Structure formats: structure tokens, C-alpha cells
Amino acid sequence: MADRNVSVFAKVASTLALFALAAPLGATVRDGVDAWSRGDYAAAVAEWQGPAEAGDPDAMFNMGQAYRLGRGVPTDMARAEELYRSAARAGHVQAADTYGLMLFQDGRREEALPYVQAAAMRGDPRAQYLIGIAHFNGDLVERDWERAYALLTLANGAGLPQAGPAIEEMDGFIPLEQRQSAAGLARQIELEAEQVRSAQLAAADLSGPTTATETVAPTPRPSVAQSPSIAAARNAVEQAREATGMEDPAVAGASFARPETPPAPAPVPPPPAPRPAAANGPWRVQLGAFGVPGNGERLWSRVSSRPEIAGRERLFLSRGRVTVVQAGGYASQADAQSACTALKRGGFDCLVTRD
């Protein structure tokens, strides 16, 4: 028993010694961040090199940033990737996110997937965009249009520029019911991401200020409409790099291939229908649910003059990050269903609901 106690005390003493060594390293890393903030990149790198070699996650991430940006050291993407990987394995979340995006951009998508999925779970809009596109195409992950629409809606709400055009494309494929369900799923994903971030913050060492967070200005993203395949998207990324000389892990070259969907039937002219005598009933015809409100405006302009809709109340309802478009004022469920049936014959999607 005495020997066992000695062994335990020896381990405790060893651990305390490691903490004693770690404290000045943290201070050194912070000094490097101060130098970086002043624009003295060489001094920052000099402060970080020793702690990075000793395995400090913040220092390794900061050195990765320096090598990626070419600040204080020559640009070396291979060395940057190595440092991000080491910091990620040591538990540095931002390094893990950056490492995953770099792998994805480099075409190593299977290797990148766990990192990108983890970043998406934390609410990173770039990762949400990539995983959303993957779910839409059924590429690397299962095809799930509802989750795809929810993730793209969140990325678009966060201001990611390429998410809006992607949602506009999705609006042409994903059925109304799935888009409407995606509103609730988006909120659920958002709440789960907040919980994940809170748990990580509670468990993390208070070393945030020791991390250099400067990022590269984003390069122009290829248009979704111009990216029918992985190869085409990646070519557009390469052209953007050559034009700007910048490197951005967020440009991942994700495909937005159109799924194999049978062509929609040609619109059939609607039969004449009587103008409603009153438009104050409780029943409604729901015309769409859109992550981009402008798509709802365009749909209303197309259908508002049809006899099934003319004279009805125009309703644009917010459902989280999704805008629901409805025509209101139908006196009975049968009236609303009749209008919806006629709209479907004309090539428009719809469903009947009540206020």
C-alpha cells in the first residue's frame, strides 16, 4: 500500500511540474499575439515557435496561421496543415475546423468529413453549407433534402454568400412539405449547436486570447448555377486563387449537381373559376416555404392573378428562418382544396391549411 501511495504522489508531483512548465508558455503565446496585433509578425513567430515545438495547441494553431498567411515566415501550406492537424489532435477546436476545410478543399473529402461534420454541429456556417450540399446530393452522406434545406437556411442566415444561390436552386426541387419541416429542423439544429458550444466553452481552458484569429479575405465563390460538378467547381476555385493570390479554406469546391428528377409537366391553363364572393374565411392555401424571401415574392407575382388566388389575402409568415407564403380567406376546406387542386394542375405546388 505504501508503494502504491508513493506511486500516486509521484504522478501528482509530475503533473504539477507540467503545470508549472505550462504557465510561462501561455504567457509567451499571449506576448506573440500582442506582437501579431501590432503587425510585428516576425516577433510573434519567434514567441510561438518554442511553445509550438513543446506541443502548446494555441501556439501550433497560431504558427499554422502564420505559415498559411505567409506572415513572419514564408508561405508553406503543407507546414500549416501539419500544425493545424497537431493542434486539432490536442483539442484545439478552431484548428480542427480549419484543418477539415483545408482537407475538403484539397479533395480529401472522406478524410475531411468528420472534421466538417463536427464544425457543422458547432454551428460553423461554412461547414453547414458543405454538409447541406452533401445531403442534397447524397454525396458522402445520405440524401436528406429536409436537413439539407435546414443547414443551408442556417448558413444563409449567418451571411455566407454562397448559401443564398444554393437555396434558390433547392427551392426548385425540394417539395413544399419538406421545406416547411426544415424550418423547425433548422431551429433544432441551432439549439443543439448552442448546447455544443456552451459545453465546449465550459470545458475549455481560458486560453482564447492566446490564439491569433486573423483570416484571409474570402475569394470569390463560384456560382451555384455554374457548378454542375465537383470538377467545375474546383476549377473555379483555382481561377479565383490565381486572380487574388489568396487561400481560403472556406472555398471547398462542393458540387451542386442537380438530382435526377423527372421534368415537371408543362403548365396547363387553369379552367375558369368564379371570383370568390368573400375572402374572409379561416382556410388557406399554402403556396411555398422559402429560405430566401425574394423567392416567395416571385412566386406570389406568378400566381396572384390566377382565378384560384385573385382577391385572396396575401400572407407572408415568418417560421424561424423560413418565410411561408399563403393565400387566405377561403370559407371552407372544400373551397381551399378545390383551389389547390386547380393550382396543381397548373404546375404549382400547394397544400391546404387553416389559420
Side-chain angles (χ1 to χ4, degrees):
M1 179 63 102
D3 291 343
R4 184 177 179 182
N5 288 338
V6 170
S7 176
V8 171
F9 285 132
K11 290 180 179 179
V12 172
S14 175
T15 300
L16 291 174
L18 288 175
F19 280 135
L21 290 173
L25 289 180
T28 304
V29 175
R30 282 192 291 272
D31 291 342
V33 172
D34 291 339
W36 183 277
S37 299
R38 296 192 304 268
D40 191 348
Y41 304 119
V45 167
E47 296 284 4
W48 293 334
Q49 280 179 330
E53 291 172 359
D56 183 281
D58 285 320
M60 289 189 288
F61 173 75
N62 292 347
M63 286 297 295
Q65 295 285 79
Y67 277 109
R68 182 167 69 90
L69 298 167
R71 305 275 170 82
V73 290
T75 301
D76 187 337
M77 299 304 293
R79 179 60 178 150
E81 181 182 313
E82 179 183 347
L83 286 160
Y84 288 137
R85 180 176 62 250
S86 297
R89 290 176 175 174
H92 197 288
V93 173
Q94 192 173 359
D97 293 352
T98 305
Y99 179 60
L101 292 168
M102 288 184 73
L103 291 175
F104 203 105
Q105 179 179 342
D106 194 47
R108 290 171 282 171
R109 300 183 303 142
E110 291 80 3
E111 187 179 353
L113 184 60
Y115 294 97
V116 180
Q117 285 178 318
M121 288 178 61
R122 286 189 291 272
D124 186 296
R126 301 164 300 175
Q128 288 175 332
Y129 169 80
L130 294 177
I131 298 300
I133 296 296
H135 277 301
F136 181 82
N137 289 325
D139 184 22
L140 295 178
V141 295
E142 72 277 10
R143 176 172 289 181
D144 185 339
W145 282 3
E146 182 179 325
R147 181 166 291 273
Y149 201 85
L151 289 167
L152 266 293
T153 299
L154 291 171
N156 185 56
L160 195 71
Q162 63 267 47
I167 291 177
E168 290 183 7
E169 289 285 318
M170 288 184 177
D171 283 340
F173 293 105
I174 300 178
L176 171 62
E177 292 87 346
Q178 292 186 20
R179 281 182 274 151
Q180 185 172 354
S181 298
L185 180 58
R187 181 55 181 158
Q188 178 184 335
I189 293 172
E190 192 171 35
L191 290 173
E192 290 173 352
E194 290 173 2
Q195 293 172 355
V196 170
R197 289 194 299 269
S198 296
Q200 289 177 341
L201 285 173
D205 182 16
L206 298 178
S207 57
T210 66
T211 298
T213 56
E214 180 172 347
T215 58
V216 181
T219 59
R221 270 76 173 183
S223 166
V224 170
Q226 296 173 349
S227 303
S229 68
I230 291 284
R234 192 165 293 131
N235 289 340
V237 173
E238 292 300 328
Q239 293 169 4
R241 285 187 197 163
E242 293 174 3
T244 63
M246 295 181 179
E247 182 76 27
D248 183 5
V251 183
S255 73
F256 200 93
R258 292 175 177 263
E260 296 180 2
T261 304
V268 177
R275 186 72 173 260
N280 56 1
W283 290 92
R284 301 174 179 179
V285 173
Q286 185 158 307
L287 303 166
F290 301 94
V292 178
N295 289 344
E297 296 283 356
R298 284 190 285 274
L299 174 63
W300 184 263
S301 68
R302 291 169 56 202
V303 302
S304 59
S305 61
R306 291 179 61 93
E308 304 90 352
I309 302 298
R312 302 294 177 179
E313 183 182 6
R314 174 183 182 271
L315 298 167
F316 277 55
L317 309 175
S318 176
R319 297 286 188 268
R321 296 183 184 273
V322 173
T323 299
V324 174
V325 181
Q326 297 177 346
Y330 294 88
S332 68
Q333 182 178 10
D335 290 341
Q337 188 60 60
S338 176
C340 185
T341 299
L343 285 169
K344 288 181 177 179
R345 286 199 298 265
F348 295 95
D349 196 10
C350 62
L351 56 87
V352 172
T353 186
R354 182 172 177 145
D355 61 13

